[in-house]
Amino acid sequence: MGTVSINGQTFSGDNIRVEGNKVYVDGVEVIRSPDIAKAVEIRITGSAMNVFTDKVVNCDDVKGDVHAGVVNCGDVEGNVHGGVVNCGDVGGRVN
């Protein structure tokens, strides 16, 4: 399970998605704020299953896939898609 912290609010779940001004954890919208659209970095700790955002994401190990504008992660068991990718071992493809 991963934990995402954005603007001082923390949420936990396996699948984390940040789209525009909304944050979804395990398919449920948990927050909507104009500040999220302005966030330049998202920090995820623990082992999330999947991470999806167009922003910069810094995270520990991910058991599934990571899709982000900039990816700074530990090991990723699935695929990684990002404009800039800095990761440990990747089990799938890097795009």
Side-chain angles (χ1 to χ4, degrees):
M1 180 175 294
T3 301
V4 60
S5 295
I6 300 174
N7 300 334
Q9 295 185 332
T10 302
F11 307 94
S12 295
D14 288 321
N15 298 289
I16 298 166
R17 178 182 296 272
V18 180
E19 291 181 344
N21 65 345
K22 301 173 191 166
V23 176
Y24 299 89
V25 176
D26 295 335
V28 177
E29 183 181 312
V30 294
I31 186 172
R32 182 186 305 209
S33 169
D35 292 338
I36 293 169
K38 299 174 192 170
V40 294
E41 177 185 33
I42 297 163
R43 177 73 185 142
I44 299 171
T45 57
S47 294
M49 288 299 296
N50 295 291
V51 178
F52 299 95
T53 182
D54 60 351
K55 305 190 180 322
V56 175
V57 65
N58 294 305
C59 54
D60 295 334
D61 296 344
V62 177
K63 298 203 178 287
D65 298 330
V66 179
H67 297 259
V70 176
V71 180
N72 298 305
C73 290
D75 297 339
V76 178
E77 292 182 19
N79 299 311
V80 178
H81 178 80
V84 176
V85 175
N86 298 300
C87 292
D89 293 333
V90 176
R93 294 181 300 197
V94 178
N95 297 344

